[in-house]
Amino acid sequence: MLPLDARAIFERVRGRSVLVVGDVMLDEWIWGTVSRISPEAPVPVVAVERHSFTLGGAGNVVNNLRALGAEVSFAATVGDDAFAPQVRALLDDAGVNDGGIIALDERPTTRKTRVVAQHQQVVRADWEATVPPPAAERDRIVAFVRERAPKSDAVVLSDYGKGLLSREVVEAAMACELVLADPKPQNVDVFRGVTCIAPNLHEAAAITGLPAADDALLEAIGMRLLDRLQCRYAVVTRGEHGIALFGSDGERLQVASVARTVFDVSGAGDTVIATLAAALAAKATIAQAVRLANYAAGAVVEKLGTATASPNEILALVEHDGA
């Protein structure tokens, strides 16, 4: 296998334009310690020490792309509520314009509240709606994507099953030559014809009807994905087993995980698709992009919560692995 010139790829990523379209979430974190059980119920009492917000869902894809040096535009929806300004502020902090963020009446900004004590998640509470936006707002989203996609080096469609992504959005995105999607199984046929899909193994198994536990069927899973979605590449993330690539021209690649420790896998799929998009937009080969995404995933799973990997962190893993 040829050496991975990750540094040269990252240099080419700078300034590349990527459009992200998908379900943005606000990750709310309540951090504290536990020293006793509540007298009211058999649950821990968390003494709160700090409170923070981060972007989740498609917002985590945006953060990962920005960490890699790409320029990002973003199409998503929020509620008309007290948490929408927090999403917009976090996008502003990341250097992303909120012109593609549409506020919807009568639905909340998707929010995941996690209580963490001693580095362990105690409980999570979700506020969300999963119905598609009203017709007028759908038309605004499609128009934004149709205008931005031809000017972008890549488009990422980040599906968290909250109703934003439709066939009309996907067709508008395909005005760009490079479209990557991370689909949920219940919505997968919407993404037919994109360049690359990147589900995790359990999602790929649900899409194809084949068992995820049988490694011998991995090739069959990849081939069924390509056939069903008529895409150029299928990239299947496999957790501690790394990543597998299947291409319609016969490309095959399996790379083992390079994570030194696994602290939290949440958001690793966002890192993978962001790195794939950035690398392919920078004219890396698909094999180079998959290997680089594997190193990026190895860096983020060593962190708690939805996280990003900087080029320096990824390069450190590449050099440690001798790649």
Side-chain angles (χ1 to χ4, degrees), residues 85-103:
Q86 186 72 54
V87 171
R88 296 182 187 276
L90 289 167
L91 288 172
D92 184 63
D93 290 345
V96 178
N97 187 282
D98 68 353
I101 307 300
I102 296 173

Side-chain angles (χ1 to χ4, degrees), residues 130-210:
T130 58
V131 296
E137 283 72 17
R138 287 202 305 272
D139 290 345
R140 288 176 61 192
I141 293 163
V142 170
F144 182 86
V145 175
R146 186 176 291 123
E147 189 270 331
R148 293 298 177 99
K151 304 173 185 176
S152 303
D153 296 301
V155 178
V156 176
L157 304 172
S158 179
D159 181 19
Y160 274 83
K162 310 307 176 195
L164 174 69
L165 290 166
S166 65
R167 185 61 192 172
E168 292 76 17
V169 171
V170 174
E171 288 176 350
M174 286 164 61
C176 178
E177 292 185 356
L178 177 59
V179 181
L180 301 92
D182 186 1
K184 285 289 179 273
Q186 66 269 25
N187 205 31
V188 68
D189 290 314
V190 161
F191 300 96
R192 185 179 177 88
V194 301
T195 313
C196 176
I197 61 163
N200 64 41
L201 180 58
H202 292 290
E203 291 167 339
I207 292 166
T208 61
L210 296 171

Side-chain angles (χ1 to χ4, degrees), residues 4 27 35 68 76 104 111 138 146 178 198-199 204 207 255 299 317:
L4 175 61
D27 286 341
S35 60
L68 295 174
L104 303 178
R111 178 165 50 110
R138 287 202 305 272
R146 186 176 291 123
L178 177 59
I207 292 166
V255 290
L317 264 184

